[in-house]
Amino acid sequence: MQSAPAPAIASLSPPELVADVRARLAAGRLPMPTLPDLAMRIDAIVGSEDACATDVAAAIAQDPAIAARLMHAANSAFSASRVRVQTVQAAVTRLGLAYTRALVHRLAVEQMFLARQSSLREFARRLWNRSLGVAALSEALARECTGFRPETAMLGGLLHMVGALPLIRLLDDMPAADLSPAAIDELVTATHPEIGRALLARWAFPGMLQEIPPIVADPHRHHGGAAEIADVVIVAVHGWSLHEGKTPTVAPISALDKMGLDAEGHFLDAPPIRQAHEGARARLAV
């Protein structure tokens, strides 16, 4: 006897939809995107003991579009050098292996924020713009306010809502699922943290980055000791909202205190942070 078909997503109430997605995740039935080959190759090269710019550049050169965008990033107006790079290897050398790796991930993830349905396309566009904004501010805050590696903070900011990608893919594959923007927002808010952790684990990202989506989703988070990378991203999410003229419902007081910053966002106007933010935005706009 055949089992009854699963109900159409559009017919589910918001709580039922959240439960359905969590059941799919637990059963391994949620469509998880695969990290592009180039990003995986760069991970392997940079993670090796004998990593060098020559090997990284040779791998990147196999994708002319990404190679051109990396050279543009290296030649951005905020580059420390006024001499324009002319080769991929020179761009990798200027950016550094770690930052090049982070930018390759930025370019790879961007390709996943796509959808066929118009309502989902708009949602994906807004989410990608938010991710870029938080990534740039995370980099700037790490560079100017902490001892953390800026490229690690940037990647944490870029991936803090990566759990939305499987949801976009799931809904996009079901044209009958004519969900309202409010319903999509509610679904993503409820489930993206756990999905993001699972997706980053699948992509073999370091444990610290795997925990970014669930941690950053809780602005009330408090922990003992000094600031962590997650605190930088939490503050960047808050600062991004202020930068966009929005008033966050909750200020991440603990994370702000650990970084010595104010909840009103005056730190956004501090010259070192503002300049670092502008530079990061220029590089990430490749």
Side-chain angles (χ1 to χ4, degrees):
M1 180 176 177
Q2 287 187 327
S3 60
I9 282 196
S11 70
L12 299 177
S13 68
E16 290 172 335
L17 184 54
V18 169
D20 179 79
V21 165
R22 286 178 171 153
R24 290 171 185 265
L25 177 63
R29 293 187 294 108
L30 197 63
M32 294 290 201
T34 301
L35 196 63
D37 289 342
L38 178 58
M40 291 192 290
R41 289 202 303 274
I42 298 302
D43 278 347
I45 295 170
V46 175
S48 65
E49 293 183 359
D50 55 350
C52 67
T54 301
D55 292 341
V56 172
I60 292 172
Q62 300 303 308
D63 189 319
I66 287 184
R69 294 176 75 177
L70 280 174
M71 290 178 64
H72 177 75
N75 286 322
S76 73
F78 289 87
S79 170
S81 172
R82 293 185 179 277
V83 179
R84 294 185 64 81
V85 300
Q86 303 293 330
T87 66
V88 178
Q89 183 166 336
V92 171
T93 299
R94 177 173 293 179
L95 292 168
L97 294 184
Y99 199 87
T100 297
R101 180 188 197 177
L103 276 181
V104 168
H105 280 294
R106 171 255 182 269
L107 294 169
V109 171
E110 179 186 21
Q111 298 171 13
M112 302 181 202
F113 278 85
L114 300 173
R116 296 185 301 275
Q117 297 186 55
S118 59
S119 58
L120 287 171
R121 281 201 303 272
E122 175 58 21
F123 174 78
R125 185 193 64 79
R126 287 190 288 107
L127 190 58
W128 176 242
N129 287 339
R130 169 194 168 112
S131 298
L132 280 181
V134 172
L137 190 51
S138 295
E139 178 186 331
L141 291 171
R143 192 180 299 278
E144 298 301 325
C145 304
T146 77
F148 298 126
R149 296 182 68 94
E151 65 274 6
T152 302
M154 182 267 275
L155 200 52
L158 188 74
L159 299 172
H160 79 286
M161 289 197 68
V162 73
L165 290 177
L167 297 171
I168 293 171
R169 181 166 294 187
L170 173 68
L171 298 176
D172 206 30
D173 286 342
M174 298 183 176
D178 188 17
L179 297 177
S180 68
I184 295 173
D185 284 340
E186 185 174 344
L187 174 63
V188 170
T189 299
T191 62
H192 88 81
E194 59 204 282
I195 297 172
R197 178 198 279 140
L199 181 58
L200 293 176
R202 184 185 182 94
W203 288 351
F205 274 67
M208 172 184 61
L209 287 175
Q210 292 177 27
E211 294 303 315
I212 288 290
I215 289 176
V216 174
D218 178 18
H220 296 288
R221 178 183 186 248
H222 177 76
H223 63 91
E228 301 172 351
I229 283 283
D231 294 305
V232 176
V233 181
I234 287 172
V235 170
V237 170
H238 178 72
W240 173 85
S241 293
L242 295 173
H243 179 76
E244 292 292 296
K246 303 171 185 175
T247 303
T249 305
V250 178
I253 299 301
S254 178
L256 287 161
D257 286 347
K258 288 181 183 297
M259 295 181 62
L261 302 174
D262 64 286
E264 290 74 27
H266 297 130
F267 61 88
L268 295 171
D269 296 320
I273 293 177
R274 187 180 67 248
Q275 292 169 10
H277 187 199
E278 291 172 353
R281 290 177 65 190
R283 287 185 292 274
L284 288 175
V286 296

